[in-house]
Structure formats: C-alpha cells, structure tokens
Amino acid sequence: MNNIVKTIAIAFLLLSIDVQAQKFTDPDKSPLDIAMYRGQDKAPRVRVIYSRPQKKGREIFGKLEKYGEVWRTGANESTEIKFYRDMMVGDSMVPAGTYTLFTIPGKKEWTVILNKDLDTWGAYGYKKERDLLRFTTPARKTAAPIESFSISFQPTEAGSDMFLGWDDTYIQVPFEEVEE
C-alpha cells in the first residue's frame, strides 16, 4: 500500500510540473554540407563547407545566378575551402590555409576564385583585391539535371578533381598534391 501511495504521489508531482516543449526552427532550405578530399593515406587535404540551394524548377545559370557576376558558390554564407597542405590549384600554388570560394558562371566557362576574406555572407562584400587566385575552367553539360547544388571530389593520379554541379551544368577544378 505504501508503494502505491508513493507511485501516485510521484505521478502527480510529474504531471504538475510545467513542461514546455523546446521549439526548433524549420530545417534550412539550403542545408549545410561538407565535401572532403583525403589523400591515399586517408589524411585530409581539402575540405569545402557550403550550403546546397535547390533547383525547384527554376532556371539556374543565366537567370537565377547571372552570367558574368560573382557568385558565392552555394547559398547563405560564402563557401569556405580549407587546404590542409600546400596544393597546386589549376596552375597556381595555394598555401595551406582557409579561403572563400567564389565563382563567376559563364555560358562556356567559369572563373574560379579563391579569396582571402573569411566569414562573409553571400558575395555582397566581395573584394577583388583580396583574391589569392583566379582562373577559368570550361562549363560542361551534365548527363541529367542536378536538383541540389553539389560539390564532390574524384581522385586522380596527381591528386583530385573537385566537381561543382547544379541544374544542367558542372565544372571541374584540378588539385595536385605538392610533395613535402
């Protein structure tokens, strides 16, 4: 009998506590993602943190993202790229460090930009004079539309190629490891 009274008292106590549910925000419409390139020894070489905007039936390049204009290369915060060691990107040496990745989409080619400014929102505060490097790469057509902007790495003999793709377009950016 004593155990029953204790159980009822505990239940009453728990029910009388003002329980409030934690309110969480809705999921981001352009979720954050990370793409990694790891060497053959599995150690990280390059990490890209970016947000993934969705196509949602829109015309992307030339309309939503204007040709010839600097793009944050994703959504929300500007895309961040970290090099864990010195790397050749295109024909340029990039010292280990963290940079912002911008692009300028074009119909036939894109300009890829690594910029020294960090923690920027979009491309609104982009400053050309802070660029570490710029180079162009061909714009190619995808075999099928890509709904979410995506970045991935594919190993090569000398390092890795980074692919950026969305809608019906992708570009390829070569990374080559520098011997230490």
Side-chain angles (χ1 to χ4, degrees):
M1 183 82 159
N2 205 7
N3 285 338
I4 293 174
V5 171
K6 285 182 185 176
T7 304
I8 293 171
I10 291 173
F12 179 73
L13 180 63
L14 290 175
L15 290 174
S16 66
I17 296 175
D18 185 21
V19 179
Q20 294 186 10
Q22 177 65 39
K23 293 183 181 182
F24 290 94
T25 59
D26 290 334
D28 195 326
K29 291 175 177 48
S30 299
L32 194 65
D33 204 350
I34 296 175
M36 291 284 295
Y37 158 47
R38 294 180 182 276
Q40 290 184 346
D41 61 358
K42 304 297 181 210
R45 301 292 195 267
V46 180
R47 179 188 72 201
V48 182
I49 301 175
Y50 67 107
S51 289
R52 302 183 70 184
Q54 313 299 305
K55 179 173 167 51
K56 296 182 185 174
R58 301 176 290 185
E59 184 179 337
I60 302 302
F61 297 109
K63 182 110 178 172
L64 180 67
E65 299 304 334
K66 307 280 191 273
Y67 289 133
E69 292 185 12
V70 175
W71 178 42
R72 69 184 107 189
T73 315
N76 304 330
E77 296 286 332
S78 300
T79 295
E80 181 182 283
I81 185 166
K82 178 177 182 173
F83 293 85
Y84 290 85
R85 60 192 307 185
D86 296 350
M87 300 282 288
M88 290 294 294
V89 180
D91 294 330
S92 299
M93 174 68 71
V94 175
T98 304
Y99 307 95
T100 300
L101 173 66
F102 292 104
T103 51
I104 302 174
K107 279 186 179 182
K108 295 184 179 183
E109 67 181 14
W110 285 26
T111 301
V112 176
I113 303 166
L114 294 184
N115 188 278
K116 295 179 252 180
D117 285 338
L118 298 175
D119 302 317
T120 59
W121 178 265
Y124 305 109
Y126 169 75
K127 296 179 190 96
K128 185 176 181 176
E129 64 272 11
R130 299 283 296 150
D131 288 353
L132 175 71
L133 74 85
R134 279 179 166 237
F135 67 94
T136 58
T137 188
R140 299 181 172 129
K141 292 296 176 193
T142 61
I146 302 170
E147 178 63 29
S148 300
F149 173 68
S150 299
I151 298 177
S152 66
F153 288 94
Q154 184 175 21
T156 64
E157 283 188 30
S160 183
D161 286 340
M162 178 175 71
F163 291 89
L164 292 82
W166 195 21
D167 193 10
D168 63 353
T169 304
Y170 76 95
I171 63 167
Q172 183 175 346
V173 179
F175 290 90
E176 189 174 315
E177 294 197 33
V178 176
E179 295 300 320
E180 294 183 343

